Amino acid sequence: MSILFPAPVFGPVHSRRLGVSLGVNLLPPDGKVCSFDCIYCECGLNGDNRSRLRMPSREEVRQTLEARLRQMQAEGPAPDVITFAGNGEPTAHPQFADVIEDTLKLRDRYFPQAKVSVLSNASFLDRPEVFEALKRIDNNILKLDTVDMDYIRCVDRPAAGYDVRKVIDRIKVFEGKCMIQTMFLKGEFRGEDVNNTTDRYVLPWLEAVKEIAPQQVMIYTIDRDTPVSGLKKATPGELNRIRDLVEAAGISISVSY
């Protein structure tokens, strides 16, 4: 079953990786808008969840977020993080940079200790306003499941024109002010083996991570139902092996089993 989030603000929820997280969904509440169509996405496949509603405006986001922060200030709990995630790719919103500016101001006013995080597939880093906005936030979390384009086409299924090498080069321009988030899974999809926990995928991915030299790497596996059958969780042993390789490279890493 697909999970769709209200817009523009939801939660707080307890995030496996980020703590008490107040969510911001810049996409429509009734469907998914994403430049990827990942076969493991909890929001479902793009074609199954087409939206009929519009994205929330900058002013709607600002007003709703301020009201929720004011309520949390009065009643609790205090958020550890304000997280842009939701029903697809948050940087696809045409006013993304303006929304980030508003959010940073509201964060500083109500919960200055909270972090601002964005979960992104990194496909819009070539937009200067998106790139600059991501430089301003605390947790710039960018997806990199593998560096193998055949695997990416099979599992992440990006929009036409996606080039993982160009994306890596663009991520490197952040000069380490980013985090890399990677999904590890196993199983089959349309007759193809999608196990990316083996050295065939892990070792080239690790070399890209070393190039990027991020603040942290976040690795995780399937936690909820997936929109396609035949996918399986990576085991704790497989994730721990990858963790050890990243730590041996001198890079901080967190694991969500």
Side-chain angles (χ1 to χ4, degrees), residues 2 4 32 51 62 65 69 75 84 87 101-102 105 133 137 139 144 191 201 203 205-206 231 244 256:
S2 301
L4 292 175
K32 187 181 169 199
S51 172
R62 190 195 66 76
L65 180 58
L69 290 174
E75 303 173 7
F84 286 79
N87 303 337
E101 181 179 355
D102 294 340
K105 290 177 180 177
I137 64 172
N139 297 327
L144 184 67
Y201 296 105
L203 296 184
W205 167 86
L206 181 60
L231 306 183
D244 292 346
S256 298

mmCIF file of all heavy atoms in Angstrom, residues 2 4 32 51 62 65 69 75 84 87 101-102 105 133 137 139 144 191 201 203 205-206 231 244 256:
data_model
loop_
_atom_site.group_PDB
_atom_site.id
_atom_site.type_symbol
_atom_site.label_atom_id
_atom_site.label_comp_id
_atom_site.label_asym_id
_atom_site.label_seq_id
_atom_site.Cartn_x
_atom_site.Cartn_y
_atom_site.Cartn_z
ATOM 1 N N SER A 2 0.569 2.196 -0.855
ATOM 2 C CA SER A 2 1.340 3.431 -0.942
ATOM 3 C C SER A 2 1.026 4.347 0.242
ATOM 4 O O SER A 2 -0.084 4.351 0.770
ATOM 5 C CB SER A 2 1.027 4.167 -2.241
ATOM 6 O OG SER A 2 1.326 3.353 -3.347
ATOM 7 N N LEU A 4 0.922 8.299 1.126
ATOM 8 C CA LEU A 4 0.975 9.669 0.654
ATOM 9 C C LEU A 4 0.846 10.605 1.843
ATOM 10 O O LEU A 4 0.103 10.338 2.782
ATOM 11 C CB LEU A 4 -0.128 9.937 -0.372
ATOM 12 C CG LEU A 4 0.019 9.204 -1.713
ATOM 13 C CD1 LEU A 4 -1.203 9.450 -2.586
ATOM 14 C CD2 LEU A 4 1.293 9.625 -2.436
ATOM 15 N N LYS A 32 1.897 11.698 -6.458
ATOM 16 C CA LYS A 32 3.346 11.733 -6.431
ATOM 17 C C LYS A 32 3.876 12.538 -7.615
ATOM 18 O O LYS A 32 3.395 12.392 -8.745
ATOM 19 C CB LYS A 32 3.884 10.300 -6.482
ATOM 20 C CG LYS A 32 5.379 10.163 -6.305
ATOM 21 C CD LYS A 32 5.770 8.694 -6.392
ATOM 22 C CE LYS A 32 7.276 8.539 -6.491
ATOM 23 N NZ LYS A 32 7.658 7.218 -7.006
ATOM 24 N N SER A 51 -1.208 13.019 -9.586
ATOM 25 C CA SER A 51 -1.880 14.060 -8.820
ATOM 26 C C SER A 51 -2.848 14.864 -9.682
ATOM 27 O O SER A 51 -2.584 15.125 -10.854
ATOM 28 C CB SER A 51 -0.827 14.993 -8.219
ATOM 29 O OG SER A 51 -1.443 16.104 -7.626
ATOM 30 N N ARG A 62 4.606 28.758 4.107
ATOM 31 C CA ARG A 62 5.081 29.612 5.188
ATOM 32 C C ARG A 62 4.045 29.737 6.295
ATOM 33 O O ARG A 62 4.360 29.592 7.481
ATOM 34 C CB ARG A 62 5.440 30.997 4.650
ATOM 35 C CG ARG A 62 6.162 31.886 5.667
ATOM 36 C CD ARG A 62 6.178 33.342 5.245
ATOM 37 N NE ARG A 62 4.835 33.904 5.231
ATOM 38 C CZ ARG A 62 4.167 34.252 6.334
ATOM 39 N NH1 ARG A 62 4.695 34.093 7.541
ATOM 40 N NH2 ARG A 62 2.952 34.755 6.229
ATOM 41 N N LEU A 65 3.501 26.261 8.092
ATOM 42 C CA LEU A 65 4.668 25.894 8.886
ATOM 43 C C LEU A 65 4.772 26.764 10.130
ATOM 44 O O LEU A 65 5.036 26.262 11.226
ATOM 45 C CB LEU A 65 5.939 26.013 8.032
ATOM 46 C CG LEU A 65 7.255 25.658 8.729
ATOM 47 C CD1 LEU A 65 7.217 24.232 9.266
ATOM 48 C CD2 LEU A 65 8.426 25.841 7.766
ATOM 49 N N LEU A 69 4.752 25.384 13.975
ATOM 50 C CA LEU A 69 5.883 25.645 14.858
ATOM 51 C C LEU A 69 5.436 26.391 16.109
ATOM 52 O O LEU A 69 5.921 26.112 17.221
ATOM 53 C CB LEU A 69 6.965 26.436 14.114
ATOM 54 C CG LEU A 69 7.716 25.676 13.022
ATOM 55 C CD1 LEU A 69 8.647 26.616 12.268
ATOM 56 C CD2 LEU A 69 8.501 24.496 13.592
ATOM 57 N N GLU A 75 3.070 23.579 22.936
ATOM 58 C CA GLU A 75 2.601 22.284 23.429
ATOM 59 C C GLU A 75 3.636 21.163 23.350
ATOM 60 O O GLU A 75 3.446 20.109 23.963
ATOM 61 C CB GLU A 75 1.353 21.866 22.635
ATOM 62 C CG GLU A 75 0.210 22.875 22.691
ATOM 63 C CD GLU A 75 -0.927 22.516 21.766
ATOM 64 O OE1 GLU A 75 -0.886 21.409 21.174
ATOM 65 O OE2 GLU A 75 -1.866 23.324 21.629
ATOM 66 N N PHE A 84 12.290 18.307 4.590
ATOM 67 C CA PHE A 84 11.600 18.376 3.300
ATOM 68 C C PHE A 84 11.689 17.005 2.642
ATOM 69 O O PHE A 84 12.767 16.547 2.266
ATOM 70 C CB PHE A 84 12.235 19.439 2.418
ATOM 71 C CG PHE A 84 11.909 20.837 2.836
ATOM 72 C CD1 PHE A 84 12.570 21.432 3.905
ATOM 73 C CD2 PHE A 84 10.929 21.569 2.183
ATOM 74 C CE1 PHE A 84 12.265 22.723 4.312
ATOM 75 C CE2 PHE A 84 10.608 22.859 2.579
ATOM 76 C CZ PHE A 84 11.282 23.435 3.653
ATOM 77 N N ASN A 87 5.785 13.602 -0.972
ATOM 78 C CA ASN A 87 5.320 12.792 -2.096
ATOM 79 C C ASN A 87 6.142 13.012 -3.369
ATOM 80 O O ASN A 87 5.601 13.349 -4.422
ATOM 81 C CB ASN A 87 3.843 13.090 -2.373
ATOM 82 C CG ASN A 87 2.970 12.842 -1.164
ATOM 83 O OD1 ASN A 87 3.314 12.078 -0.271
ATOM 84 N ND2 ASN A 87 1.823 13.501 -1.120
ATOM 85 N N GLU A 101 14.323 29.738 2.148
ATOM 86 C CA GLU A 101 14.614 31.008 2.821
ATOM 87 C C GLU A 101 13.609 31.279 3.938
ATOM 88 O O GLU A 101 13.990 31.649 5.063
ATOM 89 C CB GLU A 101 14.598 32.150 1.807
ATOM 90 C CG GLU A 101 14.908 33.507 2.419
ATOM 91 C CD GLU A 101 14.915 34.626 1.394
ATOM 92 O OE1 GLU A 101 14.782 34.347 0.190
ATOM 93 O OE2 GLU A 101 15.042 35.790 1.810
ATOM 94 N N ASP A 102 12.326 31.099 3.655
ATOM 95 C CA ASP A 102 11.294 31.296 4.671
ATOM 96 C C ASP A 102 11.470 30.334 5.835
ATOM 97 O O ASP A 102 11.326 30.709 7.008
ATOM 98 C CB ASP A 102 9.898 31.087 4.063
ATOM 99 C CG ASP A 102 9.536 32.128 3.021
ATOM 100 O OD1 ASP A 102 10.155 33.210 3.006
ATOM 101 O OD2 ASP A 102 8.623 31.852 2.210
ATOM 102 N N LYS A 105 14.241 31.230 8.276
ATOM 103 C CA LYS A 105 13.842 32.337 9.148
ATOM 104 C C LYS A 105 12.905 31.859 10.251
ATOM 105 O O LYS A 105 13.051 32.249 11.424
ATOM 106 C CB LYS A 105 13.175 33.432 8.323
ATOM 107 C CG LYS A 105 14.125 34.201 7.408
ATOM 108 C CD LYS A 105 13.376 35.230 6.559
ATOM 109 C CE LYS A 105 14.333 35.996 5.659
ATOM 110 N NZ LYS A 105 13.610 36.943 4.767
ATOM 111 N N ALA A 133 20.283 26.980 -2.597
ATOM 112 C CA ALA A 133 19.419 26.734 -1.443
ATOM 113 C C ALA A 133 19.915 25.554 -0.626
ATOM 114 O O ALA A 133 19.921 25.591 0.616
ATOM 115 C CB ALA A 133 17.980 26.496 -1.913
ATOM 116 N N ILE A 137 21.260 24.928 3.923
ATOM 117 C CA ILE A 137 20.594 24.127 4.949
ATOM 118 C C ILE A 137 21.607 23.322 5.757
ATOM 119 O O ILE A 137 22.780 23.233 5.413
ATOM 120 C CB ILE A 137 19.545 23.199 4.323
ATOM 121 C CG1 ILE A 137 20.215 22.186 3.386
ATOM 122 C CG2 ILE A 137 18.478 24.012 3.596
ATOM 123 C CD1 ILE A 137 19.285 21.114 2.874
ATOM 124 N N ASN A 139 21.265 19.878 6.731
ATOM 125 C CA ASN A 139 21.425 18.498 6.275
ATOM 126 C C ASN A 139 20.990 18.384 4.820
ATOM 127 O O ASN A 139 19.798 18.264 4.518
ATOM 128 C CB ASN A 139 20.585 17.540 7.136
ATOM 129 C CG ASN A 139 21.028 17.524 8.586
ATOM 130 O OD1 ASN A 139 22.212 17.675 8.900
ATOM 131 N ND2 ASN A 139 20.080 17.339 9.497
ATOM 132 N N LEU A 144 22.239 8.469 -3.675
ATOM 133 C CA LEU A 144 23.156 7.821 -4.612
ATOM 134 C C LEU A 144 23.119 6.329 -4.312
ATOM 135 O O LEU A 144 23.872 5.831 -3.478
ATOM 136 C CB LEU A 144 24.583 8.378 -4.468
ATOM 137 C CG LEU A 144 25.605 7.829 -5.469
ATOM 138 C CD1 LEU A 144 25.287 8.277 -6.889
ATOM 139 C CD2 LEU A 144 27.025 8.248 -5.089
ATOM 140 N N GLY A 191 12.643 -9.937 -13.845
ATOM 141 C CA GLY A 191 13.654 -10.919 -14.181
ATOM 142 C C GLY A 191 15.080 -10.491 -13.936
ATOM 143 O O GLY A 191 16.019 -11.268 -14.156
ATOM 144 N N TYR A 201 28.654 -3.715 -7.065
ATOM 145 C CA TYR A 201 28.033 -2.391 -6.918
ATOM 146 C C TYR A 201 28.647 -1.579 -5.785
ATOM 147 O O TYR A 201 28.791 -0.358 -5.904
ATOM 148 C CB TYR A 201 26.526 -2.541 -6.692
ATOM 149 C CG TYR A 201 25.811 -3.153 -7.868
ATOM 150 C CD1 TYR A 201 25.375 -4.475 -7.835
ATOM 151 C CD2 TYR A 201 25.600 -2.423 -9.031
ATOM 152 C CE1 TYR A 201 24.733 -5.040 -8.922
ATOM 153 C CE2 TYR A 201 24.962 -2.984 -10.126
ATOM 154 C CZ TYR A 201 24.533 -4.298 -10.076
ATOM 155 O OH TYR A 201 23.909 -4.857 -11.162
ATOM 156 N N LEU A 203 31.746 -1.539 -4.365
ATOM 157 C CA LEU A 203 33.091 -0.980 -4.486
ATOM 158 C C LEU A 203 33.141 0.257 -5.392
ATOM 159 O O LEU A 203 33.753 1.273 -5.025
ATOM 160 C CB LEU A 203 34.071 -2.060 -4.954
ATOM 161 C CG LEU A 203 34.261 -3.231 -3.961
ATOM 162 C CD1 LEU A 203 35.320 -4.198 -4.482
ATOM 163 C CD2 LEU A 203 34.625 -2.732 -2.571
ATOM 164 N N TRP A 205 30.633 2.275 -5.960
ATOM 165 C CA TRP A 205 29.884 3.266 -5.158
ATOM 166 C C TRP A 205 30.790 3.874 -4.088
ATOM 167 O O TRP A 205 30.788 5.088 -3.874
ATOM 168 C CB TRP A 205 28.665 2.580 -4.545
ATOM 169 C CG TRP A 205 27.969 3.346 -3.461
ATOM 170 C CD1 TRP A 205 27.004 4.298 -3.603
ATOM 171 C CD2 TRP A 205 28.163 3.205 -2.042
ATOM 172 N NE1 TRP A 205 26.589 4.764 -2.384
ATOM 173 C CE2 TRP A 205 27.287 4.110 -1.407
ATOM 174 C CE3 TRP A 205 28.999 2.405 -1.257
ATOM 175 C CZ2 TRP A 205 27.217 4.237 -0.016
ATOM 176 C CZ3 TRP A 205 28.929 2.518 0.126
ATOM 177 C CH2 TRP A 205 28.056 3.425 0.722
ATOM 178 N N LEU A 206 31.565 3.029 -3.436
ATOM 179 C CA LEU A 206 32.468 3.512 -2.393
ATOM 180 C C LEU A 206 33.501 4.482 -2.955
ATOM 181 O O LEU A 206 33.836 5.491 -2.314
ATOM 182 C CB LEU A 206 33.159 2.326 -1.716
ATOM 183 C CG LEU A 206 34.129 2.656 -0.591
ATOM 184 C CD1 LEU A 206 33.434 3.398 0.549
ATOM 185 C CD2 LEU A 206 34.790 1.380 -0.075
ATOM 186 N N LEU A 231 10.952 -7.707 -3.957
ATOM 187 C CA LEU A 231 12.068 -7.002 -3.331
ATOM 188 C C LEU A 231 12.234 -7.467 -1.894
ATOM 189 O O LEU A 231 11.256 -7.772 -1.211
ATOM 190 C CB LEU A 231 11.838 -5.489 -3.369
ATOM 191 C CG LEU A 231 11.561 -4.885 -4.743
ATOM 192 C CD1 LEU A 231 11.422 -3.373 -4.630
ATOM 193 C CD2 LEU A 231 12.658 -5.255 -5.736
ATOM 194 N N ASP A 244 31.460 -1.088 7.455
ATOM 195 C CA ASP A 244 32.877 -1.241 7.788
ATOM 196 C C ASP A 244 33.771 -0.704 6.674
ATOM 197 O O ASP A 244 34.825 -0.104 6.942
ATOM 198 C CB ASP A 244 33.202 -2.717 8.060
ATOM 199 C CG ASP A 244 32.534 -3.240 9.334
ATOM 200 O OD1 ASP A 244 32.047 -2.416 10.142
ATOM 201 O OD2 ASP A 244 32.494 -4.478 9.512
ATOM 202 N N SER A 256 20.535 2.171 9.082
ATOM 203 C CA SER A 256 19.167 1.875 9.508
ATOM 204 C C SER A 256 18.786 0.505 8.958
ATOM 205 O O SER A 256 18.751 0.315 7.737
ATOM 206 C CB SER A 256 18.200 2.942 8.986
ATOM 207 O OG SER A 256 18.516 4.207 9.520
#
